Amino acid sequence: MKKRPVDIVVISDIHLGTYGCHAKELIQYLKSINPKQIVLNGDIVDIWQFNKRYWPKSHMKVVKLLMEWITKGVKVHYITGNHDEMMRKFSGFNLGSFSIVNKLVLPVHGKKAWIFHGDVFDVTMQHSKWLAKLGAIGYDTLILINSAVNFCYKKLGKGPVSMSKKIKNSVKSAVKFINNFEQTAADIAIENEFDYVICGHIHQPEIKSIKTDNGSVMYLNSGDWIENLTALEYVKGEWTLYRYEDDKHIQANNSDSNDHVEMLEKKELFQSLMAEFNAMVTSKVSKDQPQNTH
């Protein structure tokens, strides 16, 4: 399949290591593009709900693909989120084209994009982390039930449904939270004279202009790879929202229709991670060494 050139790709809320993660679909998407720069905007690996008994090979393939890009020199920014907050202690780490940060100001064709995960605006995260973690467990359980429902729907020849989306769209407090989140991000971005503010966290993909009495800013949210399967793409001076369900080209070339989940044993997982990390370090050292011209 011919790869699409993309200047910047922003992906968030993959939640590797959970039952709801659509790793196979993400791999298909990643293999369909040729990016110059990648922003992983938080909650990539779900450390909150990481289960040693559940790490499918498809989840490892996502990590491997990202590492392959790093070894090839593709710029990869890892912005920490709340589900992978353990990574925050490594903020400032750089290795070749890979970096770990808590937030990022990215120059985009003469404009400034302020990029961060977004959990900083979540009051529950700030004051009742135990409640947020309990909610995450409930959300993952809902996704698991949803998967079983959609499996039955598929057998009956019906299309998939998203129970979490229906709940979000019907509960007034959830709608209000999303609106407040977007407005708060926009207000701070306008105050600091950013042209774009890019978030994740709320699993609500969006691109829209937000205006206030103090100015305007383009608000973008990359969505997630649990229920929406979305990413942000910047190509030829324009931001667009990629939706997996609308990508007919990928659907037509999807040869991996097997629903069977292949698991990695703990030893196998550790060996795979170490092999990929060593390959990345070796590539970095090789590039940094002076070439012998004699």
Side-chain angles (χ1 to χ4, degrees):
M1 184 168 61
K2 188 177 179 180
K3 296 188 177 184
R4 292 186 295 108
V6 182
D7 296 322
I8 304 170
V9 173
V10 182
I11 302 170
S12 68
D13 300 272
I14 299 173
H15 293 274
L16 292 170
T18 65
Y19 294 105
C21 173
H22 286 266
K24 289 184 178 180
E25 290 83 353
L26 177 59
I27 291 166
Q28 291 165 23
Y29 167 61
L30 296 177
K31 286 185 175 180
S32 74
I33 59 174
N34 184 21
K36 293 180 182 178
Q37 202 164 178
I38 308 287
V39 179
L40 301 172
N41 197 8
D43 290 0
I44 306 307
V45 178
D46 197 323
I47 298 172
W48 277 11
Q49 295 165 226
F50 188 82
N51 189 329
K52 292 179 181 179
R53 293 171 296 176
Y54 187 78
W55 186 264
K57 289 187 176 181
S58 58
H59 292 215
M60 189 63 222
K61 285 179 181 178
V62 172
V63 176
K64 182 173 182 175
L65 186 50
L66 292 172
M67 286 188 168
E68 283 177 1
W69 276 341
I70 294 168
T71 58
K72 290 176 181 177
V74 177
K75 194 79 173 174
V76 177
H77 309 275
Y78 192 121
I79 299 176
T80 58
N82 52 305
H83 284 254
D84 48 15
E85 63 184 349
M86 189 182 293
M87 301 290 287
R88 286 179 175 159
K89 66 177 71 174
F90 301 107
S91 180
F93 173 82
N94 285 276
L95 180 62
S97 61
F98 177 69
S99 62
I100 300 175
V101 292
N102 292 331
K103 57 183 180 295
L104 178 68
V105 177
L106 193 67
V108 182
H109 286 179
K111 296 184 177 182
K112 291 187 297 181
W114 180 37
I115 312 175
F116 59 101
H117 183 61
D119 55 295
V120 67
F121 297 148
D122 195 330
V123 176
T124 308
M125 273 299 307
Q126 300 302 315
H127 302 290
S128 303
K129 190 173 289 186
W130 67 270
L131 188 60
K133 290 187 176 183
L134 185 63
I137 294 171
Y139 178 75
D140 202 41
T141 303
L142 179 63
I143 292 295
L144 198 58
I145 294 170
N146 203 161
S147 299
V149 170
N150 283 334
F151 177 80
C152 296
Y153 269 40
K154 186 177 180 181
K155 295 296 182 182
L156 296 171
K158 296 182 179 181
V161 295
S162 175
M163 294 164 67
S164 54
K165 275 189 188 180
K166 288 183 180 295
I167 291 172
K168 280 182 185 177
N169 293 335
S170 61
V171 178
K172 288 183 179 180
S173 59
V175 174
K176 184 181 178 183
F177 171 78
I178 291 168
N179 290 337
N180 289 345
F181 178 95
E182 295 173 349
Q183 191 63 52
T184 303
D187 288 341
I188 298 175
I190 291 169
E191 183 180 338
N192 288 276
E193 299 182 343
F194 292 114
D195 300 286
Y196 308 111
V197 55
I198 303 175
C199 305
H201 186 56
I202 57 174
H203 295 202
Q204 197 78 3
E206 186 69 81
I207 296 179
K208 65 181 179 182
S209 177
I210 297 179
K211 295 182 179 180
T212 70
D213 293 337
N214 298 320
S216 65
V217 69
M218 184 68 73
Y219 167 84
L220 306 96
N221 196 299
S222 46
D224 64 282
W225 285 84
I226 298 289
E227 50 187 313
N228 292 293
L229 282 59
T230 53
L232 292 168
E233 297 182 349
Y234 185 78
V235 183
K236 296 180 180 179
E238 184 180 0
W239 285 103
T240 57
L241 188 60
Y242 170 87
R243 293 183 182 274
Y244 178 85
E245 65 179 2
D246 296 336
D247 193 336
K248 304 304 179 187
H249 190 58
I250 277 186
Q251 311 292 341
N253 289 276
N254 181 11
S255 58
D256 187 10
S257 59
N258 186 8
D259 290 327
H260 176 65
V261 177
E262 293 184 273
M263 303 297 291
L264 275 176
E265 296 296 331
K266 281 187 284 186
K267 184 178 179 181
E268 221 183 332
L269 170 60
F270 178 76
Q271 289 174 341
S272 296
L273 286 170
M274 288 305 299
E276 294 303 324
F277 181 76
N278 289 334
M280 187 170 70
V281 173
T282 301
S283 175
K284 165 63 177 170
V285 171
S286 177
K287 288 179 181 178
D288 288 348
Q289 285 180 344
Q291 299 295 315
N292 187 355
T293 56
H294 300 288

